[in-house]
Amino acid sequence: MSRLDSFIHRLTAQRDILNDIRETVDEIEGPVLELGLGNGRTFDHLRALFPDKRIIAFDRAVGSHKTSTPAPENIVLGEIRETAQTFVGVGAALVHVDIGTGYDDKDAITLTWLPQLAAGLLRPQGLVVSGLELLHPQLEALPICSSVPVGRYFLYRRI
Ligand code: SAM
């Protein structure tokens, strides 16, 4: 698969999974957290899906398109490992994680802290949608929509 194919699959997976879980997430109290604001594309999709929820986006710096940039009070800048730690216990309904790099060695370092952090950000029954596989005893893997190839994107529920 070319990197272009892989990119298209990632974006399609994000859109399809987020669309698929919209009603479930709407019924769960709490904010939505976007780990990896980037260009703001998935942030823009999240705010279209969840107009009544607060969406807090995290990144090292603001690099989003000006039409897809959250209000200043909903942007948290710095290393997610540290900045999101202060949000543990916030009781998020949904955490979307889009901080994979495509480099296995770098992602392996991220995965030493990310699963625990994601579990800590969610309220029980809250969902995490992630480009990286999150192995954690409090995160129950859920089936994803059939349009997404197995192992391309991941969905978990906080137990
Ligand atoms: N979801 C975004 C979109 O749809 O436009 C794309 C996100 S992009 C793939 C990943 C972003 O995560 C980058 O902007 C990068 O700076 C940020 N990022 C990755 N690891 C991070 C970390 N440990 N702390 C803070 N930001 C991080």
Side-chain angles (χ1 to χ4, degrees):
M1 183 188 297
S2 72
R3 288 189 57 226
L4 178 61
D5 287 329
S6 177
F7 182 66
I8 291 167
H9 280 155
R10 179 166 67 88
L11 303 195
T12 303
Q14 291 172 338
R15 181 200 59 197
D16 289 358
I17 296 172
L18 293 174
N19 287 351
D20 202 47
I21 63 173
R22 184 179 64 81
E23 285 182 16
T24 305
V25 172
D26 251 345
E27 287 170 8
I28 304 171
E29 258 186 74
V32 172
L33 306 186
E34 167 81 319
L35 304 189
L37 173 64
N39 183 276
R41 291 189 185 97
T42 48
F43 165 74
D44 191 42
H45 200 71
L46 287 167
R47 71 180 171 180
L49 290 177
F50 306 111
D52 299 328
K53 286 200 176 288
R54 183 179 180 199
I55 304 173
I56 307 169
F58 297 73
D59 210 306
R60 294 189 174 105
V62 176
S64 47
H65 190 276
K66 70 177 180 185
T67 61
S68 308
T69 298
E73 64 272 21
N74 289 327
I75 302 178
V76 182
L77 297 182
E79 281 298 313
I80 287 169
R81 181 181 187 174
E82 290 149 23
T83 57
Q85 191 61 40
T86 66
F87 285 76
V88 166
V90 72
L94 171 66
V95 176
H96 175 232
V97 183
D98 190 15
I99 61 172
T101 63
Y103 292 99
D104 289 347
D105 54 342
K106 289 185 181 169
D107 291 344
I109 293 170
T110 299
L111 287 171
T112 62
W113 52 265
L114 184 59
Q116 177 70 40
L117 178 63
L121 294 171
L122 288 166
R123 73 177 54 232
Q125 305 302 312
L127 301 182
V128 56
V129 174
S130 175
L132 296 173
E133 186 175 22
L134 303 179
L135 300 175
H136 189 275
Q138 287 182 306
L139 297 176
E140 174 192 17
L142 298 180
I144 49 174
C145 41
S146 57
S147 61
V148 179
V150 172
R152 187 64 197 80
Y153 229 75
F154 302 89
L155 173 64
Y156 304 90
R157 178 168 45 216
R158 164 80 150 81
I159 55 176

